[in-house]
Amino acid sequence: MTGYHVLEGEELSRLRDPRRDFALDVLSGLSEHHKKLDSRYFYDDEGSRLFQAIMSCKDYYPTDSEREILQNHGRSIAATCSGTPLNVIDLGAGDGAKTKILLQALVELGVDCRYVPIDISEGAIGGLVETMKLDMPELDVQGLVCEYTDGLNWLSSMGDNRKNLLLFLGSNIGNFNKARARAFLRRQWTSLRDGDYALIGFDLKKDIEVLLRAYNDSDGYTAAFNQNLLRRINTELGGTFDTSKFRHYGTYDVFSGAMVSYLVSLEEQVVEIAALGRSFEFEAWEPVHTEYSYKYLERDIEDLASDTGYIIEAKYRDSRHYFVDALWRVAK
Ligand SMILES: C[S@@+](CC[C@H](N)C(=O)[O-])C[C@H]1O[C@@H](n2cnc3c(N)ncnc32)[C@H](O)[C@@H]1O
């Protein structure tokens, strides 16, 4: 008898309570002097649907830019990663539409390929697995609904002999500040083996007007996407937010190089959240921070690779030089 018990595996995951985590994050975020809500909670089913609408807006260039990169260079990326059976692990996969271009290229090259999309949105993974069955029935697809870090823990524990290609597309890395991005990429490195690959989508610094248009689309989808976070608090935690009393405001912070999103209270108001047993006061014009989207210079990307243990295999740009997909090889 050791006198203690280490909680792990399924036992540990049974104890997880996503609703409680959401409630505690809302409590801590709205209790801060500068109120904030964590962007990871954007993506319930309605949030995923709204994000798809954002991706189809003409001003939202990241999706078009990265699609162009994969259309022009997917075969070259596939050829680099070919030669052995491959796990393609797609962190924060969303609808996986761009990933499909790369998967097609791998299949055409005859690579024995298993696709593992990972996302916290069950709706996104459910939809993606269904479309993959129709579009690429020959492919082995195993979706996982979990947080990034749980996905990386799963990857560490997998221990098969396949090479891994880890995808982190769509500028998902941009939601982390530069220090957290570095830590995350190193965390990712620890889950990969020597010679594995990572393909990471970085949004580049560019004309500020282009950025502002992309994050304040004229159809209002970005505003609805942000307000959906308040609606989610209402439905899941018994909140009383009137979403029409908060406007979305997206701006560019030149010092940190990030697009920053806020919901701004249009009047003095009090909102109750039943699950937390308390209310929160908002002053007129008080902002609630919702998201960062950090932009990169190409030299930042190179530094990041070498600082976190990767060798730069290639970097692929779109024709407007708005976006880079960086292909890195793990060196251990
Ligand atoms: C910006 S979208 C990008 C989707 C896709 N990779 C693309 O390029 O189109 C971000 C996706 O990451 C997922 N996501 C956000 N935070 C996450 C987290 N902490 N763990 C797992 N998935 C997350 C969201 O549900 C969403 O589907």
Side-chain angles (χ1 to χ4, degrees), residues 61-270:
Y61 64 83
T63 307
D64 290 343
S65 296
E66 196 170 43
R67 187 187 305 110
E68 181 195 322
I69 291 172
L70 292 170
Q71 277 164 347
N72 290 341
H73 303 288
R75 270 182 294 277
S76 160
I77 298 167
T80 305
C81 303
S82 65
T84 54
L86 193 68
N87 292 317
V88 178
I89 296 141
D90 195 357
L91 275 189
D95 70 359
K98 285 171 290 163
T99 304
K100 224 174 281 171
I101 302 168
L102 181 58
L103 291 169
Q104 298 277 13
L106 285 161
V107 168
E108 277 164 25
L109 278 180
V111 178
D112 170 4
C113 192
R114 177 191 295 145
Y115 179 44
V116 186
I118 295 177
D119 205 293
I120 32 167
S121 164
E122 193 171 345
I125 290 294
L128 174 52
V129 169
E130 281 310 303
T131 55
M132 290 308 291
K133 271 190 206 149
L134 296 174
D135 296 349
M136 299 186 73
E138 68 281 24
L139 202 68
D140 176 8
V141 180
Q142 297 179 16
L144 287 180
V145 179
C146 64
E147 284 275 335
Y148 296 143
T149 43
D150 291 327
L152 292 174
N153 290 338
W154 168 85
L155 177 59
S156 308
S157 71
M158 219 185 18
D160 63 12
N161 290 324
R162 290 166 164 263
K163 207 179 250 309
N164 296 302
L165 166 61
L166 195 138
L167 308 179
F168 202 37
L169 303 180
S171 182
N172 287 1
I173 191 77
N175 293 139
F176 298 142
N177 68 30
K178 299 285 170 78
R180 283 186 63 211
R182 191 174 296 254
F184 185 80
L185 292 168
R186 185 65 181 179
R187 170 70 194 78
Q188 187 173 291
W189 180 93
T190 62
S191 292
L192 293 166
R193 289 191 296 257
D194 185 43
D196 281 349
Y197 292 99
L199 183 71
I200 303 163
F202 291 96
D203 196 9
L204 296 176
K205 287 184 177 168
K206 59 181 65 63
D207 183 343
I208 294 170
E209 293 304 326
V210 174
L211 290 171
L212 290 174
R213 274 201 300 278
Y215 288 82
N216 295 283
D217 69 276
S218 50
D219 294 322
Y221 289 123
T222 314
F225 180 63
N226 277 264
Q227 284 164 335
N228 181 55
L229 199 46
L230 305 182
R231 191 204 51 78
R232 192 174 173 190
I233 294 173
N234 288 350
T235 49
E236 293 184 31
L237 304 178
T240 61
F241 279 105
D242 178 346
T243 56
S244 69
K245 292 184 179 167
F246 288 84
R247 67 155 281 188
H248 165 253
Y249 176 66
T251 186
Y252 182 66
D253 182 67
V254 280
F255 286 113
S256 61
M259 279 302 302
V260 195
S261 289
Y262 301 95
L263 284 164
V264 180
S265 175
L266 294 176
E267 58 186 62
E268 190 178 322
Q269 52 184 315
V270 177

